[in-house]
Amino acid sequence: MGKRSIEKRNMIGLPIAIVSLTLTVGQIVIADRIVINLMRWLDIVPCHRMKSRSITLKGYTLPLCARCTGILAGYLLFPLLLIAGIHFSLLLGLLLNVPMVIDGWTQKRKYRMSNNILRVTTGILSGFGQSIVIVTGSDLIITRLLGG
């Protein structure tokens, strides 16, 4: 192979490497912006954000406490209820909030110590219960307003 063909091949490879690097850096920048925007959305959640009560995964501590993380996870069931048209009792929605209230109250009164697994679990139940209350309550209100 001559010197010219090696130079020509390097000249072609360089722009491809630059484009590849630019796309990779661009993807990283976009991913960082998405994470930053998600973090801004989490700023509106009223949470004490105590690290000792937050979940740590692979050395990274989640920005919300375990209970708030559980509540937000429970909210993920909201679209399922709404779109699928699954109906639960309003009373069930209210009752699903009771374990979290008891856990938080007994912890605050120092009757016992809670842990993150219990906080996440009661949070998920509460978030699901709140979703049921919202969907069922909205359905009842709309039915009454439309006279159906």
Side-chain angles (χ1 to χ4, degrees):
M1 238 197 244
K3 187 176 179 182
R4 250 178 223 255
S5 63
I6 292 173
E7 287 176 5
K8 192 173 187 181
R9 192 169 24 147
N10 287 341
M11 294 292 284
I12 293 171
L14 184 63
I16 292 172
I18 291 171
V19 168
S20 177
L21 181 63
T22 304
L23 288 175
T24 303
V25 169
Q27 289 171 347
I28 292 170
V29 169
I30 290 170
D32 283 348
R33 286 186 182 161
I34 290 170
V35 169
I36 289 169
N37 287 334
L38 285 173
M39 297 297 274
R40 285 185 186 147
W41 275 100
L42 290 177
D43 284 344
I44 66 172
V45 176
C47 176
H48 56 68
R49 292 175 166 78
M50 290 173 58
K51 286 195 178 232
S52 63
R53 294 186 184 171
S54 298
I55 299 170
T56 301
L57 301 170
K58 295 185 178 183
Y60 176 75
T61 303
L62 297 180
L64 298 177
C65 74
R67 192 169 285 133
C68 290
T69 301
I71 291 170
L72 291 178
Y75 288 164
L76 293 176
L77 296 168
F78 181 84
L80 176 72
L81 296 173
L82 193 62
I83 294 169
I86 300 171
H87 297 282
F88 290 104
S89 161
L90 192 60
L91 181 60
L92 175 64
L94 294 172
L95 288 176
L96 285 174
N97 284 280
V98 172
M100 186 188 73
V101 172
I102 291 171
D103 180 42
W105 186 77
T106 56
Q107 178 183 335
K108 182 173 177 63
R109 302 292 279 167
K110 301 196 186 321
Y111 292 141
R112 59 178 195 78
M113 287 295 294
S114 189
N115 58 49
N116 284 346
I117 293 172
L118 186 58
R119 289 182 189 117
V120 168
T121 304
T122 58
I124 290 171
L125 289 173
S126 179
F128 182 51
Q130 290 175 43
S131 296
I132 290 172
V133 168
I134 292 168
V135 170
T136 305
S138 300
D139 192 35
L140 287 171
I141 291 169
I142 291 170
T143 302
R144 300 280 160 109
L145 287 176
L146 297 177

